[in-house]
Amino acid sequence: MPVFRAPTSTLELCRAMSEPFRAAVLDAVLERITFANEETGYTVARVDTGRGGELLTVVGALLGAQPGESLRMRGRWGSHPQYGKQFHVDDYTTVLPATVQGIRRYLGSGLIKGIGPVLADRIVEYFGVDALEVIENEPKRLIEVPKLGPKRTKLIADAWEEQKAIKEVMVFLQGVGVSTSLAVRIYKHYNDKSIDVVRTEPYRLASDVWGIGFRTADTIAKAVGIPHDSPQRVKAGLQFTLSEATGNGNCYLPEHELIANSVKILQVDTGLIIDCLAELVTEEGVVREELPDELLGEKIAAIYLVPMHRAEISLANQLLRLLHADADRLSAFADVDWDRALAWLRGKTGAALAPAQEQAVKLALTKKVAVLTGGPGCGKSFAVRSIVTLAIAKGARVVLAAPTGRAAKRLTELTGQDAATVHRLLELRPGGDAAYDRDRPLNADLVVVDESSMLDLLLANKLAKAVALGAHLLLVGDADQLPSVGAGEVLRDILADGSPVPSVRLTEIFRQAQESGVVTNAHRINSGEQPLTKGLTDFFLFAVDEAEPTAELTVDVVANRIPARFGLNPRRDVQVLAPMHRGPAGAGALNSLLQEALTPSRPDLPERRFGGRVFRIGDKVTQIRNNYDKGANGVFNGTLGIVTALDLDEQRLTVHTDEDEDIDYEFSELDELTHAYAVTIHRSQGSEYPAVVIPITTSAWMMLQRNLLYTAVTRAKKLVVLVGSRRAIGQAVRTVSTGRRHTALDHRLGAA
């Protein structure tokens, strides 16, 4: 295939344009990325062909390429009716530049850790066109460059070697359809074994390398010749189907449902799937258990991933063990004079408890496991404060926790006692193991966990195992909110009919809370009534029918209207909560619009593009996976923060989290972060914000359910602004979620 250079004359240009579908190769330096879609890989970029003149537009499969790289792109020439001549890229490889200008641009782009634009200039000025050859073959000579010491010289040499090794692996991986960012992750996990693993065990990638799921591994497997009906593929597909179900909140799948879903995904015979499932059960890759089905009135075969099965049995056993323990670390409350104790408490707090709150206080201090639930404005917070105050007065050691940093801060402010996230409390370690468990329990007489509707099965199990026998565990939360992001419905299962765990539900809305439009409307929505949107000072509706205008108005409300009227900081105090990620008014599109409004590009500040996102100093971001290797005790899915530093030389970005910790990210790790100017309502669980803006349109029709809107509204402390369609709001209020997750914790507790 001939190498196609940029046309240099009108005649050549006409010839090129007359043959738009002719295969061609274009060598150029990537100058900037205009647009990149992470999901499809489609990219629009501007490149320098090195022939002078204007930059050329290229479009197509360029995801993973970085500005400064010299690319060899294979594709075809074409023309866009609005933007003119373009090169359509089918695939590309990176090549080393050969000119002084290209080398300077390449080294100064931040691709090689330790070299920024200033140092690149000095290296190229000293070595000229031989700069890359020196780094490749005689890296010790870099010390000859003025002001370049041995420490930086070694750093550059090591970074170059790593880049070279990664490039060699990438040549192979790109040939089997792996993007650059995933190729880097594969290399860092397997190092020299990368190619061997990809060739012989491609489905290992789905379980070993974060960011690679079954579908990507399946594409790679096909490219390296793994048969479509290979047992290796079918077993991996069955486990993937279960993993997908877990990601959707289920602890298991009924066997018939697993088989049917796997047939759709794998496109193989049902008999082959049944045989491979039987082998998986025998190999203990999955667990099969007979469970009662209340709807059918008969038993069903439930198929679990092993960790889910172990966690569900363990959590049920530990809750029952705690509940029925003979020892009691709060035995002082067994025969307390409650009239006298509550009178003392009233003098201490300056307010009397309502009857249901009194019941909650007595329950928490006399029962070893208990649940306190209720909606906003019903006095959960005051009840918790009262419980903690009485326990401390009796000399008890109280430990407070919540699933998120924001909720933990709120608990600290409420009680005056230190609270931590559950992850930090347990000191979770790489691999997910906790420092505290049954063999080394928490030194606590009373453990209080707020926002416990967020506890998924795995985290709840770790928490329960860390509570000492005789200690009391109080779970506090709103059972009407959305269930946890992770698998399980722990709070609802514990509250289910037949559960041995005692509970109190607070239902009375207190007078002060009745004056809040946020609280009033939260309860109206939860009761199936339309929210009031007129005559309130803290609850508003901007009615818009179409999705695109809704997105535009949402940005205006956040960036201009709320700051002007209420004096709130649009980045720190205002959170956009969208029903879904996709769509014109989804969290993804809104993040791009809000970033341009609140943190636009500035020539004096660095920025870094990763995939379809651009990271800038001041960006509001969130962690999207549990990473036990970062920070003092790991950084966890849902942790929010602000980008405070971005170092192009060191290829590092720093985030100050809402837990007041500075976390560094290598540029290769930026797929763990996403922008958080807007987040989905599911991701907002457990957090509370001064102001919440909720874009709600009919384009999110399938997601519009009562508990979704209720959860969004209850995230606000002071202000709620709805932007969107009255019809969509009506749909959300009317629609009660009927889909129960596949869990058996309630059965395991009730059957005891």
Side-chain angles (χ1 to χ4, degrees):
M1 182 183 297
V3 175
F4 196 105
R5 303 294 180 186
T8 56
S9 69
T10 303
L11 179 60
E12 286 182 336
L13 177 60
C14 290
R15 286 173 177 168
M17 300 303 293
S18 67
E19 297 180 309
F21 299 108
R22 183 179 176 182
V25 174
L26 175 67
D27 288 343
V29 175
L30 181 59
E31 287 293 323
R32 65 175 181 269
I33 295 174
T34 306
F35 169 81
N37 185 313
E38 279 185 280
E39 295 177 1
T40 65
Y42 181 81
T43 303
V44 180
R46 300 281 279 171
V47 299
D48 183 356
T49 62
R51 296 299 185 102
E54 296 182 357
L55 299 179
L56 179 72
T57 298
V58 297
V59 299
L62 276 172
L63 196 63
Q66 297 291 343
E69 287 187 306
S70 293
L71 307 178
R72 175 156 294 165
M73 296 165 282
R74 287 165 287 277
R76 62 196 186 281
W77 290 97
S79 179
H80 189 280
Q82 182 177 352
Y83 302 111
K85 186 183 67 163
Q86 296 179 338
F87 189 79
H88 296 262
V89 182
D90 293 326
D91 60 80
Y92 75 94
T93 55
T94 57
V95 295
L96 293 178
T99 66
V100 168
Q101 180 182 358
I103 292 170
R104 179 181 286 109
R105 180 77 171 86
Y106 179 76
L107 289 178
S109 66
L111 289 167
I112 308 301
K113 188 173 183 178
I115 303 180
V118 174
L119 185 52
D121 286 342
R122 291 213 303 268
I123 293 173
V124 175
E125 185 176 339
Y126 190 87
F127 292 113
V129 75
D130 297 325
L132 295 182
E133 187 176 340
V134 169
I135 297 174
E136 168 81 24
N137 300 313
E138 302 176 274
K140 292 182 179 179
R141 285 192 60 198
L142 287 171
I143 203 168
E144 300 173 17
V145 178
K147 300 180 181 179
L148 186 57
K151 185 177 179 181
R152 180 60 65 90
T153 297
K154 185 178 186 309
L155 176 66
I156 293 170
D158 291 345
W160 179 267
E161 284 301 313
E162 183 180 38
Q163 280 290 324
K164 189 169 68 171
I166 290 173
K167 295 286 186 189
E168 290 172 359
V169 173
M170 282 183 184
V171 170
F172 169 75
L173 293 178
Q174 286 176 342
V176 293
V178 180
S179 71
T180 303
S181 58
L182 290 183
V184 171
R185 282 201 171 274
I186 292 170
Y187 176 80
K188 289 197 170 183
H189 190 88
Y190 299 115
N191 295 313
D192 296 338
K193 298 179 181 177
S194 298
I195 293 176
D196 185 55
V197 170
V198 170
R199 277 185 177 142
T200 61
E201 301 176 274
Y203 293 104
R204 273 184 61 188
L205 301 175
S207 57
D208 291 352
V209 182
W210 184 79
I212 296 183
F214 172 79
R215 289 188 174 90
T216 300
D218 201 34
T219 300
I220 296 170
K222 182 178 179 181
V224 298
I226 302 293
H228 185 73
D229 58 355
S230 161
Q232 178 188 356
R233 176 176 183 266
V234 176
K235 290 177 185 178
L238 281 162
Q239 290 177 309
F240 164 73
T241 306
L242 281 174
S243 180
E244 284 274 280
T246 300
N248 291 327
N250 297 294
C251 296
Y252 69 86
L253 278 183
E255 186 174 41
H256 65 88
E257 191 174 327
L258 171 61
I259 292 170
N261 291 350
S262 299
V263 168
K264 292 178 185 176
I265 291 169
L266 295 168
Q267 296 293 299
V268 297
D269 290 340
T270 303
L272 177 59
I273 287 178
I274 293 172
D275 291 342
C276 287
L277 177 57
E279 289 181 24
L280 267 179
V281 172
T282 302
E283 296 164 1
E284 299 185 349
V286 299
V287 176
R288 186 181 190 277
E289 182 183 0
E290 297 286 329
L291 292 174
D293 187 298
E294 293 180 4
L295 293 177
L296 298 176
E298 59 187 36
K299 289 194 172 184
I300 60 166
I303 310 295
Y304 285 82
L305 290 172
V306 173
M308 291 295 144
H309 189 253
R310 288 176 178 168
E312 195 172 75
I313 291 175
S314 172
L315 176 57
N317 289 342
Q318 183 64 9
L319 289 174
L320 293 170
R321 181 169 173 261
L322 292 172
L323 190 63
H324 300 306
D326 292 331
D328 189 351
R329 291 195 175 197
L330 295 181
S331 58
F333 290 98
D335 55 1
V336 74
D337 183 338
W338 282 107
D339 290 338
R340 186 177 173 188
L342 294 174
W344 174 87
L345 181 66
R346 187 163 54 250
K348 189 79 172 173
T349 62
L353 291 165
Q357 290 176 315
E358 285 189 11
Q359 184 187 355
V361 169
K362 294 175 182 177
L363 197 69
L365 296 173
T366 59
K367 300 296 183 181
K368 299 183 189 75
V369 183
V371 176
L372 170 58
T373 187
C378 292
K380 289 197 307 294
S381 296
F382 186 58
V384 169
R385 180 182 162 194
S386 301
I387 291 164
V388 172
T389 301
L390 279 172
I392 291 174
K394 286 291 188 180
R397 178 173 172 78
V398 179
V399 169
L400 306 173
T404 68
R406 283 175 176 254
K409 280 184 179 179
R410 190 170 69 246
L411 195 53
T412 297
E413 294 165 0
L414 167 68
T415 62
Q417 305 295 315
D418 288 339
T421 63
V422 177
H423 299 91
R424 285 185 180 276
L425 175 67
L426 301 179
E427 294 182 16
L428 292 182
R429 298 165 173 172
D433 292 330
Y436 295 95
D437 53 24
R438 284 180 60 168
D439 297 326
R440 188 197 175 197
L442 294 164
N443 181 18
D445 304 314
L446 170 63
V447 178
V448 180
V449 184
D450 199 7
E451 295 287 357
S452 55
S453 63
M454 276 193 72
L455 290 175
D456 61 36
L457 175 64
L458 297 179
L459 187 58
N461 178 47
K462 289 180 172 65
L463 172 68
K465 286 196 294 185
V467 179
L469 276 181
H472 289 219
L473 172 63
L474 174 64
L475 300 176
V476 183
D478 186 346
D480 292 326
Q481 289 186 23
L482 290 168
S484 57
V485 174
E489 286 188 293
V490 172
L491 186 62
R492 292 185 191 179
D493 281 349
I494 293 175
L495 288 168
D497 292 341
S499 170
V501 178
S503 63
V504 173
R505 177 184 284 269
L506 303 181
T507 57
E508 178 188 352
I509 305 174
F510 288 88
R511 184 178 302 169
Q512 185 177 358
Q514 289 175 355
E515 298 172 0
S516 164
V518 175
V519 171
T520 298
N521 278 328
H523 285 277
R524 287 179 66 87
I525 291 166
N526 203 30
S527 300
E529 300 177 73
Q530 290 291 320
L532 304 173
T533 57
K534 293 182 179 180
L536 299 174
T537 59
D538 61 352
F539 201 103
F540 301 90
L541 167 65
F542 289 93
V544 188
D545 288 331
E546 300 300 324
E548 287 84 357
T550 295
E552 293 171 7
L553 184 53
T554 297
V555 173
D556 186 38
V557 166
V558 173
N560 302 310
R561 301 193 188 201
I562 289 178
R565 180 163 177 179
F566 297 97
L568 296 175
N569 183 298
R571 190 184 289 106
R572 184 186 64 244
D573 300 328
V574 184
Q575 183 62 56
V576 176
L577 303 180
M580 58 194 296
H581 181 78
R582 296 185 179 182
L590 283 168
N591 268 317
S592 298
L593 295 172
L594 286 162
Q595 184 191 36
E596 288 309 307
L598 299 175
T599 318
S601 180
R602 286 174 45 184
D604 59 325
L605 289 179
E607 60 182 44
R608 176 67 176 186
R609 179 174 287 276
F610 189 93
R613 302 189 289 275
V614 178
F615 292 95
R616 298 171 183 148
I617 293 174
D619 270 339
K620 187 176 184 179
V621 294
T622 184
Q623 176 84 6
I624 57 174
R625 66 169 291 219
N626 290 344
N627 188 329
Y628 300 95
D629 296 317
K630 284 198 170 296
N633 294 108
V635 183
F636 301 96
N637 189 0
T639 299
L640 285 169
I642 300 291
V643 177
T644 54
L646 204 159
D647 191 324
L648 295 178
D649 289 4
E650 299 300 324
Q651 298 187 34
R652 186 169 59 237
L653 174 151
T654 303
V655 174
H656 185 76
T657 73
D658 56 5
E659 296 178 38
D660 293 324
E661 186 175 12
D662 290 319
I663 305 294
D664 290 333
Y665 291 83
E666 300 293 325
F667 284 169
S668 61
E669 300 174 315
L670 292 183
D671 54 353
E672 295 186 19
L673 290 176
T674 190
H675 292 99
Y677 300 97
V679 299
T680 62
I681 296 168
H682 282 84
R683 291 192 68 84
S684 73
Q685 290 170 251
S687 294
E688 192 175 64
Y689 317 93
V692 161
V693 180
I694 309 168
I696 183 164
T697 69
T698 54
S699 60
W701 193 260
M702 297 302 294
M703 297 294 294
L704 299 180
Q705 296 176 350
R706 186 180 300 170
N707 61 351
L708 188 85
L709 183 57
Y710 173 73
T711 299
V713 170
T714 56
R715 298 306 87 210
K717 290 169 67 176
K718 300 178 182 177
L719 175 68
V720 169
V721 180
L722 301 176
V723 183
S725 159
R726 295 182 189 274
R727 181 168 172 243
I729 294 169
Q731 169 70 6
V733 171
R734 287 191 303 271
T735 306
V736 178
S737 175
T738 56
R740 277 300 306 268
R741 295 176 170 186
H742 293 300
T743 71
L745 179 63
D746 54 348
H747 161 68
R748 299 183 196 282
L749 288 171

